[in-house]
Structure formats: C-alpha cells, structure tokens
C-alpha cells in the first residue's frame, strides 16, 4: 500500500471550513484514498473514501487532484466535536485485502 | 454508537493473570478485527477473522490468543502479559474483509502492572 504524508497538527476556527491535506505521491492506479478520524478515547470512525472523482457525504468532502498524488479532506463548517486525529489511508480496495494501515495522522483542533 | 460493543472498557491486570476481552456486533458483518493502539504509536492490526476463520495474524505474541465462536462475537484471551502490552485494544467489524468502512468499538484500555 502507498505511503501517505500528513501534517502532524492543524488548528481551525469553529464555524470555518477545515481543510486537511494528504500527500500520496506513490499511489498506484487501483488504490483508493480513505479518511478516518479518531476522537480522543474512542475508536476510529470512517469518514469517506474515493478513487479519482471528488466525493461528498454528510460528514465531509474529499477532493483528489487530477494526478492523484494528493488529496484534501474538507469539513465545511467545523464544530468543537470535530476535534480529533484524522488519518489518510491509501490501499487497494478488494475483498481479501483486510489491512487498514494507520499512520500518525493530523491532530485537528477546533478553536472556539 | 457504531453497533460494536466492547467489554470491559477498562482493565488492570497483573503479569500472571489471565483475562479476556470481549467484542460483540449485531450488524450482520462477516469480518471482525483486533487492533492495538499503544501510546504515541499508530494503530496496529493484530488479527482478522472472516466467517469465524482467522485470515491474518500479524506476528502477534502467543500470549494474545483470539477466539471467534460465531460471526457476532470475538474474544482476545490474555495470558502472562508484559507491562509494554498496556494499550487501547480496539475491535472492529465490516460486512466483508476488504470493505472500505470498518466499524470500530470504543476499545478496552488495558493496563498491565
């Protein structure tokens, strides 16, 4: 699975959009980008995933560059409850590939 | 609330004790996972079960022994642990192995004295 690079920490003002970057320059054509987050003392929570098109759900938007070497997770109106560690994971999506390899992620702090 | 429950939420044990962690899901998922999260280290996958059969064991010491009696329940039996085994142990499930969304439980915070 391709390696990802994320900034260790970021701050964002409450109510503003939080934009979390992820570099995955060695991504291959059949690898998807997944985002999870982990709020303190809880298990990780799936947010969104995508291959090449931008994706949006009720939690967030995922913007993937055309060359797929980087992506941005956007939380459109951040709240204090969005304070968490956000993990960007790249891996092949196939049944039988069980592994989610979590890195160190980005610690996002929402400032009141 | 993800539909995956874990008990106990906190556990303190001595190095000679035997204890078990329990995970339960009633989501109808066929795959279940154990992860370990130590302080300041990334999550590490320990074991994967698919339809009650172990499909992955990531070089985990034998003092950790998983058991999956049915697709809704997963146990992690602990025996003669070391202080460095103190960590948050997380259970997860997904419809099939390889599904993009895994549902995690809240974890068991284990302290080994």
């Amino acid at each position: 699975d391709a390696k990802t690079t994320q900034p260790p920490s970021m701050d964002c003002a409450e109510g503003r959009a939080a934009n979390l970057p992820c570099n995955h320059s060695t991504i291959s054509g059949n690898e998807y980008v997944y985002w999870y987050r982990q709020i303190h003392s809880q298990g990780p929570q799936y947010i969104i995933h995508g291959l090449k098109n931008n994706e949006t759900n009720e939690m967030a938007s995922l913007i993937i560059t055309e060359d797929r070497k980087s992506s941005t997770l956007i939380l459109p109106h951040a709240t204090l409850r969005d304070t968490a560690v956000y993990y960007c994971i790249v891996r092949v999506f196939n049944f039988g590939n069980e592994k989610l390899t979590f890195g160190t992620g980005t610690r996002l702090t929402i400032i009141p | 609330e993800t539909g995956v429950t874990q008990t106990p939420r906190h556990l303190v044990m001595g190095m000679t004790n035997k204890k078990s962690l329990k995970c339960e899901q009633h989501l109808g998922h066929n795959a279940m996972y154990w992860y370990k999260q130590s302080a300041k280290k990334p999550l590490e996958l320990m074991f994967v079960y698919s339809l009650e059969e172990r499909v992955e064991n990531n070089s985990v010491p034998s003092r950790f022994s998983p058991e999956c009696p049915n697709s809704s329940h997963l146990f992690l039996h602990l025996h003669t642990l070391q202080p460095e085994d103190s960590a948050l142990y997380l259970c997860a499930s997904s419809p099939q192995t390889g599904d993009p969304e895994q549902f995690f439980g809240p974890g068991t915070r284990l302290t080994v004295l």
Side-chain angles (χ1 to χ4, degrees):
Chain A
D1 293 337
K3 185 175 155 62
T4 62
T5 305
Q6 298 177 254
S9 63
M10 292 179 65
D11 292 339
C12 177
E14 187 179 15
R16 305 295 295 267
N19 297 287
L20 294 105
C22 180
N23 284 324
H24 30 79
S25 58
T26 59
I27 193 170
S28 57
N30 60 349
E31 288 182 309
Y32 284 68
V33 181
Y34 299 80
W35 283 84
Y36 276 73
R37 73 179 182 184
Q38 187 172 21
I39 295 169
H40 183 62
S41 297
Q42 297 183 23
Q45 177 191 22
Y46 165 86
I47 302 172
I48 200 166
H49 76 281
L51 181 63
K52 55 173 86 169
N53 297 325
N54 298 337
E55 302 287 345
T56 295
N57 63 21
E58 65 279 1
M59 287 182 70
S61 294
L62 174 60
I63 309 298
I64 302 174
T65 57
E66 195 158 338
D67 63 7
R68 302 208 324 120
K69 292 183 188 294
S70 65
S71 59
T72 301
L73 179 76
I74 301 172
L75 308 178
H77 304 287
T79 71
L80 298 178
R81 286 177 293 181
D82 293 320
T83 292
V85 178
Y86 286 77
Y87 298 99
C88 170
I89 300 164
V90 172
R91 67 152 204 178
V92 176
F93 175 8
N94 63 51
F95 297 108
N97 178 13
E98 301 81 15
K99 194 167 284 194
L100 276 178
T101 303
F102 288 80
T104 51
T106 295
R107 183 171 297 279
L108 175 67
T109 303
I110 306 302
I111 311 294
Chain B
E1 185 61 51
T2 62
V4 180
T5 59
Q6 290 187 243
T7 53
R9 294 293 309 275
H10 300 271
L11 178 63
V12 179
M13 60 187 287
M15 289 191 284
T16 58
N17 291 158
K18 283 185 186 181
K19 296 285 184 186
S20 295
L21 310 184
K22 179 180 177 183
C23 174
E24 190 169 348
Q25 58 90 6
H26 294 288
L27 301 169
H29 291 171
N30 290 326
M32 295 188 79
Y33 312 78
W34 279 116
Y35 288 85
K36 174 184 177 183
Q37 188 171 36
S38 305
K40 303 193 190 299
K41 288 174 76 173
L43 255 76
E44 303 167 60
L45 179 65
M46 300 175 73
F47 300 105
V48 181
Y49 276 82
S50 176
L51 293 169
E52 301 133 54
E53 280 194 33
R54 193 188 310 180
V55 297
E56 182 142 348
N57 172 359
N58 272 356
S59 303
V60 178
S62 59
R63 57 186 184 270
F64 296 92
S65 172
E67 179 191 2
C68 189
N70 56 62
S71 58
S72 299
H73 295 87
L74 185 65
F75 295 89
L76 188 63
H77 303 299
L78 315 172
H79 177 49
T80 57
L81 295 192
Q82 306 297 312
E84 59 265 27
D85 296 321
S86 298
L88 181 68
Y89 289 84
L90 290 154
C91 173
S93 72
S94 64
Q96 309 288 344
T97 55
D99 268 317
E101 184 175 359
Q102 292 184 13
F103 294 74
F104 283 80
T108 295
R109 174 72 60 188
L110 174 68
T111 303
V112 182
L113 300 175

